[in-house]
Amino acid sequence: MSARGGKKKTTKLSRSARAGVIFPVGRMKRYLRTGTHKYRIGMGAPVYMAAVIEYLAAEILELAGNAARDNKKGRITPRHIKLAVANDEELNQLLRGVTISNGGVLPRIHPELLSKKRGGRVKVDTQVSVPEKTEKQVKSNKRSGKKGRGKPGRKPRKNTENDKEAANSTVDDGPGEGFTVLSAKSLFLGQKLSLAESELSKIGSIKVEGIINPTNAEIDLKDGVGNALEKAGGKDFLDAVKELRKTQGPLDVASVAVSQASGMAARFIIHCNIPQWGSERCEDQLEKTVKNCLSAAEEKKLKSVAFPSLPSGRNGFPKQTAAQVILKAISNHFVSATTSSLKNIYFVLFDSETIGIYLQEMAKMDSK
């Protein structure tokens, strides 16, 4: 049309362009109509569907690209998509019934196999050595007759020494049955930092001297780790926590309070008030919290402590940021300290996504 009296030409915009999405809105509407002729489809339904599918595709491709980069590959394969979905908690739950062609299976070794490889020699030695001693003692008692009167004084000493060795061996063996150690590294003062996988309900049975309980100012036991500790400790532990609330009062952010670990394998529970993500200087407060937990364990002369995933649940910390801050805090604590009673620090984690993040961050610590 001429510019004198004609209308200006307007370019037609697709529904996808008007909605601001890349995926085709018209095709989504056509798919929704197939087999649903008796239902009314609103104008916004295909737009919403296209936006959701586009978001999921972008999220999966981003995670799969990270997996391909970690494996030093320049092309995304179905295997990388499988790992990306499995290592994300929300995507794994959404697509748990989906089979990805040529995706393979997730690498997983049963905890019993790892525990046998790691601690089998110690357990076999103790089981073999005890029967040999008892047989020798029985034979000597039968042969000696009256001479055996002078030996009962020596037996308790040997038994006590063996008990001490057995107690030390259980500490050296690891966190106990039901906990799989996936990675370990040495810190500045020779401490051993280990990453263990287990179930949340078993946190009360871990063989350490101190367990860290992330909580709030009121030291409640409603969420996650606190609830599992309450079930493991029972009434005695709950009474100890109630007495702690009366004596310690509300905890400040990054402050800690110590209570007895009644009914559990540990000796003490170290309660800490975790900062909220988005609050002022929340990362510095989290680092201070971790250092305060380690200092409280050293005051009690503890040799081993177990850290669950600290900023979990209501605190809302990104897992990657939390792992970086916590590992940095532990490393800096032992670099600045001259001596420490702590020998073993365990990270006890319960989901594959957090485990993958901590493995990556611990590998970065080794490379630095």
Side-chain angles (χ1 to χ4, degrees):
M1 299 290 292
S2 62
R4 294 180 179 177
K7 296 181 180 179
K8 295 182 179 179
K9 290 184 179 181
T10 57
T11 57
K12 292 184 179 181
L13 293 177
S14 64
R15 296 185 63 182
S16 299
R18 283 182 288 173
V21 296
I22 299 175
F23 276 43
V25 174
R27 188 179 301 176
M28 295 295 173
K29 186 175 182 180
R30 188 168 69 250
Y31 290 155
L32 287 173
R33 281 180 175 176
T34 56
T36 58
H37 301 289
K38 60 181 179 179
Y39 298 109
R40 180 182 177 275
I41 300 174
M43 297 298 293
V47 177
Y48 184 81
M49 185 177 180
V52 170
I53 296 178
E54 181 179 329
Y55 169 75
L56 288 175
E59 189 75 13
I60 293 173
L61 286 176
E62 181 182 0
L63 296 174
N66 294 337
R69 183 186 59 196
D70 294 339
N71 292 325
K72 297 181 180 179
K73 302 292 183 182
R75 180 180 296 176
I76 296 175
T77 63
R79 176 66 176 168
H80 300 143
I81 297 176
K82 175 72 174 178
L83 294 175
V85 172
N87 290 327
D88 188 273
E89 186 177 357
E90 295 176 351
L91 289 176
N92 190 26
Q93 185 176 2
L94 177 66
L95 304 176
R96 58 186 174 183
V98 177
T99 301
I100 299 175
S101 179
N102 297 327
V105 296
L106 293 177
R108 177 174 174 81
I109 302 175
H110 198 277
E112 293 297 329
L113 299 177
L114 289 176
S115 62
K116 286 180 182 178
K117 290 181 180 179
R118 190 184 306 107
R121 293 183 180 178
V122 178
K123 293 180 181 178
V124 171
D125 292 341
T126 54
Q127 290 175 356
V128 173
S129 61
V130 174
E132 287 179 357
K133 291 181 180 179
T134 54
E135 288 178 1
K136 290 180 181 179
Q137 289 174 359
V138 171
K139 290 180 181 179
S140 61
N141 289 336
K142 288 182 179 179
R143 292 177 182 176
S144 59
K146 295 182 180 179
K147 292 181 182 180
R149 295 179 181 176
K151 292 183 180 179
R154 297 179 184 176
K155 289 181 182 178
R157 293 179 184 176
K158 292 182 180 179
N159 290 336
T160 53
E161 290 176 359
N162 291 335
D163 292 339
K164 290 180 181 178
E165 291 177 358
N168 292 333
S169 65
T170 55
V171 174
D172 295 337
D173 283 345
E177 186 177 356
F179 296 85
T180 306
V181 177
L182 303 176
S183 177
K185 72 180 299 292
S186 297
L187 297 176
F188 186 73
L189 296 178
Q191 286 81 10
K192 188 177 179 181
L193 181 64
S194 303
L195 176 63
E197 178 186 9
S198 183
E199 297 177 4
L200 180 59
S201 58
K202 295 181 179 179
I203 187 66
S205 63
I206 186 170
K207 293 182 180 179
V208 295
E209 295 187 349
I211 302 175
I212 310 300
N213 174 34
T215 182
N216 55 8
E218 288 74 24
I219 319 180
D220 67 45
L221 304 174
K222 295 179 181 179
D223 287 351
V225 178
N227 191 13
L229 292 175
E230 182 181 358
K231 291 180 180 178
K235 185 177 181 299
D236 293 337
F237 173 67
L238 189 59
D239 293 340
V241 173
K242 290 180 180 179
E243 186 65 26
L244 186 67
R245 291 171 186 160
K246 294 178 182 178
T247 56
Q248 297 286 348
L251 287 179
D252 296 331
V253 177
S255 298
V256 299
V258 183
S259 68
Q260 294 288 335
S262 303
M264 287 175 267
R267 292 171 52 198
F268 297 99
I269 303 296
I270 302 174
H271 309 271
C272 56
N273 186 5
I274 301 295
Q276 189 78 24
W277 172 252
S279 59
E280 184 178 0
R281 299 176 61 244
C282 57
E283 295 185 17
D284 295 337
Q285 293 288 346
L286 179 59
E287 183 175 354
K288 183 180 177 181
T289 305
V290 176
K291 291 182 178 179
N292 288 340
C293 291
L294 296 174
S295 299
E298 290 170 346
E299 289 178 3
K300 296 292 183 180
K301 305 297 181 184
L302 304 185
K303 294 183 179 180
S304 57
V305 292
F307 281 87
S309 183
L310 287 186
S312 58
R314 56 191 167 196
N315 298 92
F317 262 81
K319 295 181 179 180
Q320 190 87 25
T321 305
Q324 294 171 354
V325 173
I326 293 171
L327 289 171
K328 176 185 174 184
I330 293 176
S331 179
N332 292 342
H333 175 81
F334 291 111
V335 168
S336 59
T338 54
T339 58
S340 176
S341 63
L342 290 171
K343 302 300 179 186
N344 291 309
I345 297 97
Y346 293 98
F347 282 113
V348 185
L349 306 177
F350 315 110
D351 63 282
S352 58
E353 181 187 4
T354 308
I355 290 171
I357 290 172
Y358 272 83
L359 286 173
Q360 290 179 1
E361 296 301 326
M362 289 178 68
K364 292 178 183 178
M365 292 177 66
D366 292 332
S367 62
K368 290 180 181 179

